[in-house]
Amino acid sequence: DAKTTQPNSMESNEEEPVHLPCNHSTISGTDYIHWYRQLPSQGPEYVIHGLTSNVNNRMASLAIAEDRKSSTLILHRATLRDAAVYYCILMRWGGSEKLVFGKGTKLTVNP
Amino acid sequence: DSGVTQTPKHLITATGQRVTLRCSPRSGDLSVYWYQQSLDQGLQFLIQYYNGEERAKGNILERFSAQQFPDLHSELNLSSLELGDSALYFCASTAGERGGYTFGSGTRLTVV
């Protein structure tokens, strides 16, 4: 399973944008980049995923570097409810299709 | 409600006992994944089923087993329970390549 590297923790202020980075230098051409977040004592929640192009949905945006070796999850206006652990995961269909969770980035949102 | 249903939400049992955790995937999803999350281990993949067949295995102990039934619900059986098996157990399902994975709210198992 290809590895990802994320900062252990980040802090943000409420209503400001948050950029959560993820490095995945060993990504292969068929690896999708998935982002999930987990609040305490809750199941992980799907945020967004992409392959090559930038993606937007109601929760966030995913910016993928041209060489695909890194990506950034963008929360446009952080709220207190966005405080969670964010996981960046590479997932390849047709192979081992399980999500392999690392330690993620713990995001703290200050009021 | 994520669409993935796990029961029970909480379970307290004694060492040496056996329990069964149940998961109903989102309607139409054929794959079910089981994960264990303990305080010091993070989220660990246990096992995957696809349309009734075992597809992938992770760090699942021999005391643990799972199956997926024709109606696509899945059960995770944990036997000869030890204190260290206390954890949150999550299941997830997915529609496939174009979608994300949907997780249930988990079963909190406490072994005393």
Side-chain angles (χ1 to χ4, degrees), chain B residues 8-112:
Chain B
K9 290 193 184 306
H10 302 277
L11 202 48
I12 301 175
T13 190
T15 54
Q17 295 298 304
R18 172 189 168 96
V19 297
T20 297
L21 312 183
R22 183 187 168 105
C23 170
S24 293
R26 228 172 33 156
S27 177
D29 289 355
L30 300 179
S31 277
V32 169
Y33 304 76
W34 285 97
Y35 287 82
Q36 178 193 56
Q37 186 172 36
S38 51
L39 279 173
D40 56 347
Q41 291 288 330
L43 275 155
Q44 299 288 316
F45 169 72
L46 295 178
I47 198 164
Q48 176 202 359
Y49 277 83
Y50 177 83
N51 203 19
E53 294 192 3
E54 182 183 302
R55 176 70 70 94
K57 232 172 182 176
N59 299 323
I60 187 166
L61 300 172
E62 283 192 13
R63 300 183 285 109
F64 296 1
S65 65
Q67 55 184 323
Q68 186 179 27
F69 295 86
D71 67 352
L72 300 178
H73 91 271
S74 177
E75 293 181 355
L76 180 67
N77 301 297
L78 315 176
S79 61
S80 303
L81 284 167
E82 302 175 359
L83 296 177
D85 298 326
S86 296
L88 274 164
Y89 291 84
F90 293 105
C91 79
S93 71
T94 181
E97 188 170 351
R98 297 190 181 277
Y101 290 66
T102 303
F103 284 77
S105 56
T107 294
R108 181 178 293 278
L109 174 66
T110 303
V111 182
V112 297

Side-chain angles (χ1 to χ4, degrees), chain A residues 11-61:
Chain A
E11 260 190 68
S12 174
N13 296 320
E14 206 174 4
E15 297 190 9
E16 289 183 358
V18 182
H19 290 234
L20 296 161
C22 181
N23 287 320
H24 28 77
S25 58
T26 60
I27 191 170
S28 79
T30 54
D31 285 338
Y32 283 82
I33 302 161
H34 279 240
W35 283 83
Y36 291 80
R37 68 182 185 182
Q38 186 178 26
L39 280 67
S41 296
Q42 294 188 26
E45 177 186 26
Y46 167 78
V47 178
I48 201 165
H49 79 288
L51 184 61
T52 56
S53 303
N54 295 343
V55 185
N56 300 298
N57 66 20
R58 64 175 181 81
M59 287 182 70
S61 296

